[in-house]
């Protein structure tokens, strides 16, 4: 058998995201090697201060302050320092030395992406940046790959977690903007200087990247109209709520035609970020807290939605690692990865191995002590009840009374639930078991 190849991985920056990427690279080395087709050897981590305190314990010998040398001697370079320089020069150095590059740097891409993309194309290396838009959510690769046979007409994104948290807080508690911002800062969602988030600049950088990929054109930060959320008041939110709307900060990229052009102009793309009212039944209205989501309309696919965590060290690291494995596969195979990976060697299990919550509907006699007897049978079988509701039905003609019981359990095994139901059927006070259904998402 041929020897497994090793690819040298250089990590530039060891902050929130970089530290998690390093941890996963070291902890999950075997699984990543199996999926990449090469061992991904972390050869060094460029930092400003080797002795700085970090959330993750990492081998000290990996740290270096010489980012340039590290970037020059790697097959794969991960840039997670942020900012324009030296990130830009280091990425160019890596590309020119034939390395594939993974970055999460939306600010750099929105400002000078095309230079980097052209250099990567010229050098024949992969430059990927899934982490730059909506963190963990796979959105850029689906747009670039899965939807490449379709025509996207509109993208609506909640791509900034901090502002979604603030607006959601205002919507659910009636708080004013300043109080909701203070709460976001207290919980660690918003930075001490929240300007980039609340003024919409972070969302605007992401809007430029989304628009460029969705419409196969170049859009930079200066093409994006940008209004933040600082002027949204508790009164605006209340009025919107009253009318059946929720206010979200949306990054929008949409196709404008001659027919719907607001100033009578020609065709093109409108890229903008602003507070927007959405009907409360729109799928994006259900995106609460600091979560992100991107809603896409395409000519043939219709409507699609991608949802998840748009920030945080570990979720964002997931997107970085995905890009890294994809780049490694290209280096190893000279093309995309295998159609299937079968390196996991895990068996399929029967349904009896799973646990789930259950909904159990019962038609029972309305007599004292019935609820206690039923609850006792659940407990006897180790099935814990989460919700129990009772509705009394009176038959006017016969004057008979019966009770409808709706029970939702905590997670239980198939076997335990089946035994519980069998035992309940045996009770003399049970008219019928009306339904037994599995429940997820509670
Ligand atoms: N944190 C998130 O949730 C998130 C989500 C998506 C994308 N991103 C992007 O990922 C990148 C990293 O974000 P982060 O949250 O980890 O930032 P961070 O500020 O926590 O980490 C950046 C690290 O890079 C180091 N650094 C900066 N310049 C350096 C230099 N010249 N040499 C060596 N080290 C240097 C800093 O000291 C810091 O430790 C940014 O581009 C950010 O926009 C972050
Ligand atoms: N500040 C950003 C982090 C991810 O880019 C947010 O709140 O979503
Ligand atoms: Na993403």
């Amino acid at each position: 058998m041929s020897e497994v190849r090793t690819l040298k991985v250089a990590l530039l920056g060891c902050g929130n995201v970089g530290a998690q990427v390093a941890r996963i690279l070291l902890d999950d080395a075997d699984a990543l090697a199996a999926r990449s087709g090469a061992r991904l050897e972390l050869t060094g981590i460029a930092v400003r201060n080797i002795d700085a305190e970090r959330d993750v314990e990492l081998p000290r010998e990996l740290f270096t302050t010489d980012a340039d040398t590290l970037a020059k001697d790697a097959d794969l370079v991960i840039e997670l320092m942020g900012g324009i320089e030296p990130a830009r020069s280091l990425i160019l150095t890596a590309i020119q030395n034939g390395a594939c590059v993974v970055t999460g740097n939306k600010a750099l891409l929105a400002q000078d992406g095309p230079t980097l993309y052209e250099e990567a194309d010229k050098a024949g290396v992969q430059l990927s940046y899934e982490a730059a838009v909506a963190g963990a959510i796979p959105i850029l690769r689906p747009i670039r790959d899965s939807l490449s046979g379709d025509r996207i007409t509109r993208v609506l994104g909640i791509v900034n977690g901090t502002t979604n948290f603030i607006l959601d807080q205002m919507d659910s508690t009636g708080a004013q903007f300043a109080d909701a911002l203070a709460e976001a800062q207290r919980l660690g969602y918003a930075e001490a200087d929240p300007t980039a988030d609340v003024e919409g600049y972070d969302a605007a950088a992401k809007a430029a990247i989304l628009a460029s990929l969705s419409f196969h054109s170049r859009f930079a930060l200066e093409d994006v109209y940008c209004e933040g959320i600082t002027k949204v008041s508790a009164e605006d939110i209340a009025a919107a709520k009253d009318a059946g709307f929720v206010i979200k900060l949306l990054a929008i990229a949409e196709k404008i035609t001659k027919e719907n052009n607001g100033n009578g102009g020609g065709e093109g793309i409108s890229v903008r970020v602003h507070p927007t009212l959405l009907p409360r039944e729109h799928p994006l209205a259900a995106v609460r807290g600091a979560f992100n989501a991107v809603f896409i309309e395409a000519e043939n696919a219709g409507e699609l939605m991608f949802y998840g965590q748009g920030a945080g060290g570990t979720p964002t690291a997931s997107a970085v690692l995905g890009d890294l494995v994809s780049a490694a596969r290209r280096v190893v195979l000279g093309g995309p990865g295998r159609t299937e990976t079968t390196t996991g060697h895990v068996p399929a299990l029967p349904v009896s191995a799973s646990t789930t919550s259950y909904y159990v509907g019962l038609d029972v006699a309305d007599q004292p002590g019935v609820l206690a007897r039923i609850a006792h049978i659940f407990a006897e079988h180790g099935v814990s009840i989460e919700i129990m509701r009772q509705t009394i039905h009176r038959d006017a003609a016969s004057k008979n009374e019966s009770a409808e019981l709706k029970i939702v359990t905590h997670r239980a095994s198939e076997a335990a639930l089946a035994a519980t139901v069998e035992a309940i059927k045996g009770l003399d006070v049970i008219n019928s078991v009306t339904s037994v259904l599995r429940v997820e998402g509670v």
Side-chain angles (χ1 to χ4, degrees):
M1 217 175 84
S2 64
E3 189 116 315
V4 176
R5 191 169 163 186
T6 295
L7 297 179
K8 291 184 187 171
V9 180
L11 174 60
L12 313 179
C14 193
N16 285 322
V17 185
Q20 297 302 333
V21 167
R23 175 186 63 78
I24 299 167
L25 271 171
L26 296 172
D27 288 356
D28 236 1
D30 290 344
L32 292 168
R35 290 180 216 147
S36 308
R39 290 207 75 79
L40 305 179
E41 186 200 352
L42 182 59
T43 51
I45 307 173
V47 295
R48 275 192 177 128
N49 174 7
I50 290 180
D51 296 313
E53 260 195 38
R54 292 169 223 286
D55 297 342
V56 180
E57 210 171 302
L58 296 164
R60 197 172 189 279
E61 61 274 17
L62 286 177
F63 292 119
T64 172
T65 51
D66 186 357
D68 203 53
T69 303
L70 187 64
K72 277 183 181 145
D73 185 26
D75 302 297
L76 305 165
V77 173
I78 306 171
E79 184 280 305
L80 290 168
M81 300 188 314
I84 306 301
E85 285 295 350
R88 181 181 177 281
S89 302
L90 288 165
I91 290 177
L92 286 172
T93 300
I95 289 172
Q96 282 150 9
N97 279 284
C100 290
V101 174
V102 177
T103 178
N105 196 333
K106 61 234 159 191
L108 173 59
L109 295 171
Q111 183 174 312
D112 203 16
T115 307
L116 304 179
Y117 310 145
E118 278 173 18
E119 286 301 311
D121 285 349
K122 238 192 280 172
V125 299
Q126 188 164 313
L127 168 63
S128 16
Y129 43 95
E130 185 57 79
V133 179
I137 306 176
I139 181 63
L140 302 188
R141 243 180 299 154
I143 290 176
R144 196 165 35 201
D145 295 339
S146 317
L147 290 168
S148 59
D150 206 333
R151 280 176 194 274
I152 291 174
T153 49
R154 197 146 79 123
V155 179
L156 301 177
I158 295 174
V159 291
N160 183 271
T162 306
T163 48
N164 201 55
F165 176 86
I166 293 171
L167 292 172
D168 186 34
Q169 190 74 10
M170 291 172 76
D171 187 80
S172 55
T173 69
Q176 286 290 357
F177 169 76
D179 297 327
L181 169 60
E183 178 69 354
Q185 283 171 320
R186 194 182 67 76
L187 292 172
Y189 291 118
E191 305 277 340
D193 176 4
T195 313
D197 293 322
V198 299
E199 295 294 354
Y201 308 145
D202 174 76
K206 294 165 180 169
I209 297 170
L210 281 172
S212 302
L213 287 173
S214 301
F215 295 101
H216 311 282
S217 297
R218 280 184 183 169
F219 300 100
L221 201 51
E222 60 262 27
D223 297 314
V224 185
Y225 171 83
C226 180
E227 251 179 64
I229 63 163
T230 54
K231 295 196 187 80
V232 177
S233 65
E235 292 70 30
D236 292 332
I237 301 254
K241 205 171 185 175
D242 198 44
F245 292 90
V246 61
I247 301 185
K248 296 288 188 192
L249 183 71
L250 293 189
I252 303 174
E254 71 178 335
K255 194 171 173 180
I256 303 289
T257 62
K258 280 190 204 112
E259 288 69 42
N260 68 2
N261 188 311
N263 63 13
E267 297 200 332
I269 305 300
S270 165
V271 195
R272 52 193 207 267
V273 168
H274 50 67
T276 314
L277 269 71
L278 276 174
R280 293 189 95 86
E281 58 278 4
H282 190 283
L284 283 174
V287 178
R288 309 280 312 270
F291 275 84
N292 282 196
V294 181
F295 186 84
I296 293 185
E297 295 168 22
E299 269 181 20
N300 301 315
E303 296 176 346
L304 303 159
M305 189 156 103
F306 303 78
Y307 169 89
Q309 296 195 66
T314 308
T316 307
S318 165
V320 172
L321 267 303
D323 277 351
L324 193 72
V325 170
S326 152
R329 285 176 176 163
R330 279 194 177 269
V331 173
V332 173
L333 301 167
R338 293 178 296 269
T339 305
E340 61 168 355
T341 48
T342 52
T343 51
H345 305 296
V346 281
L349 297 176
V351 69
S352 59
S354 63
T355 62
T356 149
S357 294
Y358 288 88
Y359 168 84
V360 181
L362 301 173
D363 181 356
V364 304
D366 183 23
Q367 290 172 13
V370 171
L371 290 191
R373 287 174 70 190
I374 290 169
H376 179 70
I377 290 186
F378 274 85
E380 249 181 3
H381 290 84
V383 180
S384 168
I385 292 173
E386 178 166 348
I387 303 168
M388 188 188 259
R389 286 210 187 105
Q390 175 180 262
T391 317
I392 305 294
H393 297 290
R394 287 186 181 84
D395 187 86
S398 66
K399 300 259 186 335
N400 279 345
E401 285 193 347
S402 66
E404 186 190 355
L405 280 188
K406 293 172 181 159
I407 295 167
V408 177
T409 74
H410 286 286
R411 281 191 172 267
S413 70
E414 289 263 326
L417 198 278
T420 308
V421 171
E422 270 319 295
I424 283 176
K425 278 183 186 163
L427 287 178
D428 54 1
V429 290
I430 297 288
N431 299 329
S432 65
V433 176
T434 51
S435 44
V436 178
L437 294 165
R438 294 178 184 86
V439 181
E440 290 293 347
V442 288

